[in-house]
C-alpha cells in the first residue's frame, strides 16, 4: 500500500458506493467505511482490506478525504453536522466530497460551514450506473477550488474514468441536476411514446427496431429499453423516488433563478404520480409500466 495515498473514508456503500469504495481499496487507498443496515457490502469491503467505523465522527478521525454517497442534502447535512458527525471528528484540512445528488444551495451553505472550521467541501456527483461503478467507469462532475480538486482527483480517478472540474463548489450539483433533467425527461418521454405506440398498434419491439441505431439512440435509451424489452429489473438501478427528488431540486434551482421550467414540471408530475401510486422503489425504466397501465395497455413481453 502506497504511503503517498491519502486516507479515505466512505459513507454510503449502497448501489453506487459499494463499487466506488471497492475500487479505492483495490487501488491501494487506505479506506475506512461506515457501518450500514445492509451488512453485506460492509463485510465484503472489510474482507478486501477496508476498516469499519461506527459513526461519521469515528470515520472522520481516520480520514483526510471523505466521500459521501447518500440520498440527498438532508442526509448530507445530518452526516456532517450531527452530534456524532464529521465536523466533530475531522482534522483541519480534511476534504468532504459529496457524491450525492444534492441541492446546490445546501451545498454552498455546508461548504461555508466547513471552511469556517478549517475543513473543505467538494461536490462530485456521478454519471453512470452501479455496473459502471463496480468497473471504475463512472464520470464525476466536480465543483471545488483548484487546490482541493488537485487533492481529490487521484482518489476520484480510482472509480471514475472521466473527471471534470467544472468550477467552484456547487457547480457540480448544478450540472448534475441539469444532467438528470435530461435523463428523467427522456424517461418520461420514452414511457409516453411507448404507451401511445402500443395503443395504436406499434409494439415496443417494432418501436425499438426503428429507434435503435438511429440518431435518437443513446446509452440511456438502451438501458431503459433493456427493461422494456427483456424485463431486466437491474438494467438501470435508480429508484423513482430518487428521480423525483432530483427533478424537485431542479425545480428549486429554476425558481431561485427566476427561469420558467414548464417541461421540468411535466417531468416532475410524471414521476410524482408514480411515487404517489406506491411505485417509489421501482427503478426508472419501470415508469413505462406505470404510464402504460394508466392508459389500459401493457408493454410486457408478447412472446
Amino acid at each position: 500500500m502506497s504511503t503517498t495515498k491519502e486516507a479515505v473514508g466512505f459513507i454510503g456503500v449502497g448501489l453506487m458506493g459499494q463499487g466506488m469504495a471497492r475500487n479505492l481499496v483495490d487501488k491501494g487507498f487506505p479506506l475506512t467505511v461506515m457501518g450500514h443496515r445492509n451488512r453485506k457490502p460492509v463485510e465484503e469491503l472489510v474482507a478486501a482490506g477496508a476498516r469499519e467505523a461506527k459513526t461519521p465522527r469515528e470515520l472522520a478521525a481516520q480520514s483526510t478525504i471523505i466521500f459521501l454517497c447518500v440520498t440527498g442534502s438532508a442526509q448530507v447535512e445530518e452526516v456532517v453536522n450531527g452530534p456524532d458527525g464529521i465536523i466533530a471528528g475531522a482534522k483541519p484540512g480534511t476534504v468532504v466530497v459529496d457524491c450525492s445528488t444534492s441541492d446546490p444551495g445546501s451545498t454552498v451553505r455546508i461548504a461555508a460551514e466547513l471552511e469556517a472550521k478549517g475543513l473543505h467541501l467538494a461536490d462530485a456527483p456521478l454519471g453512470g450506473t452501479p455496473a459502471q461503478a463496480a468497473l471504475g467507469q463512472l464520470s464525476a462532475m466536480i465543483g471545488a477550488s483548484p487546490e482541493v480538486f488537485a487533492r481529490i482527483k487521484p482518489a476520484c480517478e480510482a472509480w471514475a474514468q472521466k473527471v471534470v472540474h467544472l468550477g467552484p463548489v456547487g457547480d457540480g450539483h448544478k450540472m448534475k441536476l441539469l444532467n438528470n433533467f435530461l435523463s428523467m425527461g427522456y424517461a418520461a418521454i420514452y414511457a409516453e411514446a411507448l404507451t401511445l405506440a402500443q395503443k395504436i398498434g406499434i409494439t415496443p419491439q417494432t418501436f425499438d427496431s426503428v429507434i435503435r441505431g438511429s440518431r435518437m439512440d443513446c446509452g440511456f435509451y438502451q438501458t431503459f429499453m433493456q427493461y422494456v424489452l427483456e424485463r431486466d429489473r437491474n438494467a438501470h438501478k435508480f429508484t423513482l423516488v430518487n428521480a423525483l427528488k432530483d427533478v424537485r431540486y431542479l425545480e428549486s434551482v429554476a425558481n431561485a433563478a427566476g427561469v420558467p421550467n414548464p417541461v421540468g414540471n411535466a417531468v416532475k408530475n410524471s414521476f410524482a404520480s408514480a411515487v404517489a401510486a406506491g411505485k417509489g422503489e421501482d427503478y426508472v425504466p419501470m415508469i413505462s409500466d406505470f404510464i402504460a397501465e394508466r392508459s389500459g395497455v401493457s408493454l410486457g413481453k408478447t412472446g
Side-chain angles (χ1 to χ4, degrees):
M1 185 175 291
S2 171
T3 57
T4 64
K5 288 182 168 65
E6 295 204 42
V8 174
F10 207 108
I11 297 175
V13 290
L15 290 177
M16 299 291 278
Q18 182 180 4
M20 296 163 67
R22 182 58 189 257
N23 274 288
L24 283 159
V25 74
D26 285 351
K27 292 171 184 176
F29 285 87
L31 182 68
T32 304
V33 299
M34 197 176 85
H36 193 268
R37 288 189 303 274
N38 181 3
R39 295 297 305 165
K40 188 171 183 287
V42 175
E43 290 167 0
E44 289 178 358
L45 288 164
V46 169
R51 292 185 293 180
E52 181 182 359
K54 298 299 184 182
T55 65
R57 179 176 185 167
E58 181 186 340
L59 179 140
Q62 301 176 43
S63 311
T64 56
I65 296 175
I66 302 168
F67 288 102
L68 308 181
C69 199
V70 295
T71 303
S73 293
Q75 292 74 25
V76 171
E77 292 179 8
E78 180 181 354
V79 165
V80 170
N81 290 314
D84 228 3
I86 288 171
I87 286 177
K91 300 177 285 292
T94 297
V95 181
V96 178
V97 186
D98 181 10
C99 296
S100 318
T101 301
S102 299
D103 180 347
S106 173
T107 300
V108 171
R109 288 194 300 273
I110 293 172
E113 293 173 12
L114 290 173
E115 288 291 336
K117 297 181 181 297
L119 310 172
H120 311 292
L121 181 73
D123 48 321
L126 312 169
T129 66
Q132 289 173 304
L135 295 171
Q137 295 177 352
L138 295 175
S139 61
M141 46 204 93
I142 298 179
S145 69
E147 296 78 14
V148 167
F149 176 71
R151 276 188 61 192
I152 67 174
K153 186 180 179 185
C156 292
E157 288 177 335
W159 47 258
Q161 65 181 2
K162 182 178 182 181
V163 177
V164 181
H165 184 204
L166 300 179
V169 170
D171 279 8
H173 283 143
K174 292 174 185 175
M175 186 63 224
K176 175 60 173 176
L177 293 180
L178 294 169
N179 179 86
N180 280 19
F181 171 39
L182 292 177
S183 58
M184 297 311 116
Y186 271 120
I189 291 171
Y190 295 156
E192 193 169 318
L194 286 160
T195 295
L196 177 58
Q198 186 81 309
K199 195 77 170 179
I200 62 176
I202 302 294
T203 67
Q205 291 76 13
T206 300
F207 181 94
D208 182 67
S209 72
V210 174
I211 302 301
R212 192 170 297 266
S214 75
R215 291 180 64 192
M216 297 307 298
D217 195 358
C218 64
F220 185 87
Y221 172 82
Q222 291 169 18
T223 54
F224 192 95
M225 292 302 291
Q226 189 173 329
Y227 170 74
V228 173
L229 297 175
E230 302 174 22
R231 301 283 106 181
D232 180 358
R233 291 179 56 87
N234 297 322
H236 192 133
K237 295 171 74 172
F238 185 64
T239 63
L240 294 177
V241 71
N242 277 335
L244 176 60
K245 167 191 69 79
D246 293 353
V247 292
R248 281 178 167 161
Y249 282 164
L250 178 82
E251 180 181 45
S252 177
V253 170
N255 288 342
V259 174
N261 188 220
V263 175
N265 284 330
V267 173
K268 178 195 71 177
N269 289 340
S270 290
F271 283 92
S273 296
V275 171
K279 306 293 187 181
E281 295 306 313
D282 284 355
Y283 297 134
V284 162
M286 298 176 194
I287 197 171
S288 59
D289 290 334
F290 173 76
I291 299 297
E293 286 165 7
R294 290 202 304 180
S295 293
V297 300
S298 172
L299 301 179
K301 281 187 174 181
T302 59

